[in-house]
Every structure is written in structure tokens, then in C-alpha cells.
Amino acid sequence: MSVATAPAESVDVSAHHYTQLDGLRGLAILLVIVYHFSLEHAAFRGPAPGFFLQLAQAGWMGVDLFFVLSGFLITGILSGTRSKPHYFRNFLARRFLRIWPLYYLSLLVLLVVAPLLLPQVWAGRLQGMQDQQAWFWLYAANWLFAKEGGFSQTAGGYFWSLAVEEQFYVIWPFVVYALSTRMLLRVSFGLLCCSLLLRVVLSAFGVGTGVLYNMTFTHLDGLATGACLSICLRSPELTARVMRALPWVAGVALLGLVGVRLHDHHLFFWGRAMAACGYTLIVALFAALLVLALRDRDGQRLRRFLRSRFMSLCGTYSYALYLVHVPVASLVYPALRKLHLLQDLLGYDAVFLLAGAVAFAISWALAAASWFLIESRILAFKRYFAAPPGPPPGPAGGVPTQMSAAP
């Protein structure tokens, strides 16, 4: 059944754990990994990167898919529990249990343990990050990179998105609690529009694209879009409108991204057209993908793909994968490049692919160990901050509160 002819009822995702949302999170982390690993290729940012490297240029968009998922899930969780006791305490405690332990453990390893154990390897790479470490400990790394105009001066650039999400987690519960559902939808849509307009205006005044990419206020598109979807899919009437608009939104967004590619001549986030309007077009496509993933139709290829074992595990391990894959790649790629005999035998591209496979395998092993030894044990404490049982949600349903929105 096509989207255009789908029934008008809302999508009820309150009663089940939808594995396809795990799969979407898995897709997001795979895109990000492909992008960061491709940065190690000598031709990736050159004038002629080749077809596959040009596709990899879009991998950074996986972060915006994370943002859409976070806005969708977190808004649904908050909307469904704001009338229950200990609303703020339960939400914030559960978020902190999910995010803080692994985040601060990563900082501890990078900024304290690694320089002590591997001083020659890490000294030059992490010195800037150590000098600016207060920004990371305070979940403000995105503002550091905005101040610096990009990621070239200080290591740890991938922490920027975690800072944006944490700022959202701290502020959004108060917004949801204070507003009616109708006003919340208006505010969410307003944030989407303001983020787009602010980038367009600042870009016109010559503000650097690295600044626009990192500032919270200019990169709210994904979180705001996810919030809008969460509210709309709780209403049968709004769900019907979303389903009717979906093909048009996706088509316009796709055509817009083609125009962005033609203007910038690449798909990197620092392109002027991409920074001005591309982020909004990207989240529009991901919003359409999220809605399609939730349309639970037997035999749907997208649904089967996202619910596969591999994609589901990628989603489960995505947070740890996000935190470890860059440090792992920064060790593996230089190590294999030093094996000149191997490169002479296999060639540059083959060694590059081999290094990517090794780096992914190591990252996967570390992420799996993190899940079973650390994350799952800490997450068990969430039961002490669960909302008390109450009547089932309204006829439009809600979002699965058991799912994590973090990458």
C-alpha cells in the first residue's frame, strides 16, 4: 500500500517496542562511521573523489537522523508522562543514566588514561582537546567548535552532537510541561523555521558554515522536526495530514538536495548551500523515512531491513559505537599505512578498505563489551525512576518510552 493511500488512522507506537526504530538508529551510526572512516582516504576531500567516496560524503547526515529520532522519542516520552508524579526527576534521571556514564568514561580514557599510557601516540593529537577540556566536561563542545569555526583546531569533533542533544534533554522537559499540545506543536514548528531562517540570514552576512553547523540554535531542524512528528502521530487527524503530505515533502526535499549538490559541487556539511537550507531538506527526508518505518505493513522491504538482526544490534550498540569509532580509526589507519609492503601488494584502496574493516570490527567488539559489561547494568537502575502505572494513552497512542533516543 502506498503512502498516499494509507489509512488515515494514527500510528500507535505506545504498546510495542518497535525494532525498526532501533534499525533507524543503526542506519544513523553506520552513516556516521562511513563518513569518519572515509576522512582517512587521501582523495575524500579532493577534486575527484570517485563515485563511492562521493556517496560517503553524505555520511555525516546520520547525525541529523539521530536528531530526528531524539526529537520524536523524547517528545513522545515527555508528552505521555507530564501528568504523572516525579515527571522531571524520572525523565532527567533516566536520561543521565543512559548518557552520562559512557560519556564521562570516554572523556576519562581520552583525556586522562590514554595520555598516561600512550603519551607518544596521543600527545600531539589530544593536546588541544586537553587544553579545552572544560567545554567537553560541561557538555558544551559544540559551542567550542562554533567559536573556532569548525573542527580543524581541536580534536574530539564528534562530541558536538552529544552536547546539542544533552542541551535539548535539559531544556525540553520544561517546555513540554509548560505548553498545551497545540502550543507545543506550534513552538516545535517555529523552532524548525527559526533555525532555517537564522542560518539563511547569518550565511548572507558571511558567518562561516562551521559556525552554523555547530551552534545549537542553528541546528535544531532535526530535533524540532522529530518533535512535530511525535505530536502529529498522536492525532488521527494530523496523522492523515502527514501521510498525505509525505510524498510531496520527500520529493521536494530530494530535488532540493540535488540542487544543493549542483551548487556546492559536493555533499559535505560545510557547503554554503548545504549550510543555508540543506540541513532542513535532510531532516525532511529522514522524517519521511521515520514515518515509513512506523507504517507497520507486512512484507514491506524497509521494515524487514530495519528489523534485521544486524541493524537492530547496530542500533543497540550505537551510543558506544559513536564514542569509540573515531579513536579506534585514528589508531588503526596510521598503523596499517605504515605497513608499506602490504600497501605495495594490495594497493592503497585495498589497504584502506582493510583498515576500515579492522577498525569497524574493533569498534563493534568494544561497543558490545560496553553494552554487556557497563550500559545494560547501569540501565537496570532505570526501574527506580519509572513512571507509575496509569490509564492507557489516548486513542492516538504515543511513542515507546522504553527506547533510548541517544546515539
Side-chain angles (χ1 to χ4, degrees):
M1 181 177 293
S2 68
V3 173
T5 60
E9 76 272 8
S10 63
V11 179
D12 183 3
V13 291
S14 61
H16 306 284
H17 179 102
Y18 271 59
T19 309
Q20 51 264 52
L21 296 185
D22 284 332
L24 279 178
R25 192 178 293 105
L27 176 61
I29 190 59
L30 290 176
L31 287 171
V32 173
I33 288 175
V34 167
Y35 176 78
H36 283 143
F37 284 6
S38 297
L39 287 171
E40 301 287 343
H41 197 287
F44 187 50
R45 285 176 280 193
F51 177 75
F52 291 106
L53 287 178
Q54 287 188 57
L55 290 179
Q57 290 176 0
W60 60 271
M61 299 177 187
V63 170
D64 289 282
L65 178 53
F66 276 131
F67 284 168
V68 173
L69 284 167
S70 291
F72 177 78
L73 291 169
I74 293 304
T75 303
I77 291 169
L78 292 171
S79 297
T81 60
R82 61 183 168 185
S83 63
K84 296 186 177 181
H86 309 299
Y87 163 82
F88 292 105
R89 185 204 68 179
N90 288 347
F91 175 78
L92 293 175
R94 290 168 70 87
R95 285 299 89 206
F96 295 159
L97 285 172
R98 180 67 186 102
I99 302 301
W100 281 16
L102 210 58
Y103 179 89
Y104 285 114
L105 178 61
S106 298
L107 287 182
L108 189 66
V109 170
L110 287 174
L111 299 177
V112 179
V113 177
L116 290 176
L117 298 181
L118 301 169
Q120 295 180 343
V121 176
W122 291 105
R125 301 178 186 179
L126 292 179
Q127 188 60 52
M129 189 176 177
Q130 288 177 312
D131 293 341
Q132 306 278 5
Q133 61 181 285
W135 296 88
F136 295 89
W137 293 107
L138 295 174
Y139 270 105
N142 67 306
W143 292 105
L144 167 65
F145 297 119
K147 181 173 71 77
E148 294 179 344
F151 302 114
S152 60
Q153 298 183 43
T154 303
Y158 57 98
F159 281 93
W160 82 273
S161 63
L162 302 179
V164 171
E165 290 216 358
E166 187 67 13
Q167 293 159 30
F168 174 73
Y169 294 154
V170 171
I171 295 174
W172 201 239
F174 297 93
V175 176
V176 174
Y177 187 80
L179 301 178
S180 66
T181 299
R182 177 176 295 183
M183 185 57 66
L184 182 61
L185 178 58
R186 292 175 178 174
V187 168
S188 299
F189 185 72
L191 289 175
L192 169 62
C193 295
C194 287
S195 185
L196 169 61
L197 291 175
L198 189 58
R199 284 198 313 274
V200 171
V201 171
L202 292 178
S203 179
F205 279 95
V207 175
T209 55
V211 178
L212 300 177
Y213 185 73
N214 283 288
M215 287 196 302
T216 306
F217 303 124
T218 53
H219 211 134
L220 285 174
D221 308 60
L223 294 166
T225 298
C228 289
L229 273 183
S230 178
I231 298 165
C232 289
L233 295 185
R234 296 172 69 88
S235 162
E237 179 183 354
L238 293 179
T239 298
R241 294 183 182 181
V242 168
M243 299 309 296
R244 287 195 297 268
L246 199 65
W248 296 98
V249 170
V252 170
L254 188 59
L255 288 175
L257 285 175
V258 171
V260 167
R261 171 63 176 80
L262 293 174
H263 180 277
D264 290 341
H265 305 292
H266 57 73
L267 287 172
F268 289 117
F269 63 84
W270 56 76
R272 182 60 63 176
M274 182 66 76
C277 61
Y279 306 160
T280 305
L281 298 172
I282 290 164
V283 300
L285 278 179
F286 285 146
L289 184 64
L290 173 59
V291 174
L292 286 176
L294 289 173
R295 300 302 291 181
D296 199 7
R297 295 287 179 264
D298 292 335
Q300 192 177 69
R301 292 182 180 179
L302 174 63
R303 176 173 169 266
R304 290 201 303 269
F305 169 70
L306 294 175
R307 297 185 68 176
S308 66
R309 178 66 172 167
F310 175 71
M311 295 304 296
S312 177
L313 283 177
C314 283
T316 300
Y317 300 156
S318 61
Y319 187 36
L321 280 170
Y322 190 86
L323 287 168
V324 304
H325 78 278
V326 172
V328 168
S330 67
L331 292 175
V332 170
Y333 277 93
L336 287 186
R337 275 198 291 262
K338 290 180 180 179
L339 301 177
H340 300 293
L341 180 60
L342 185 64
Q343 189 161 308
D344 291 339
L345 289 174
L346 301 178
Y348 179 88
D349 288 338
V351 172
F352 169 79
L353 292 174
L354 176 62
V358 172
F360 183 79
I362 295 174
S363 299
W364 181 275
L366 291 174
S370 169
W371 175 256
F372 288 107
L373 299 178
I374 301 174
E375 295 173 78
S376 61
R377 298 173 186 271
I378 293 175
L379 291 178
F381 289 99
K382 278 188 172 184
R383 66 182 183 272
Y384 297 112
F385 303 99
V399 300
T401 59
Q402 73 271 30
M403 298 196 65
S404 166

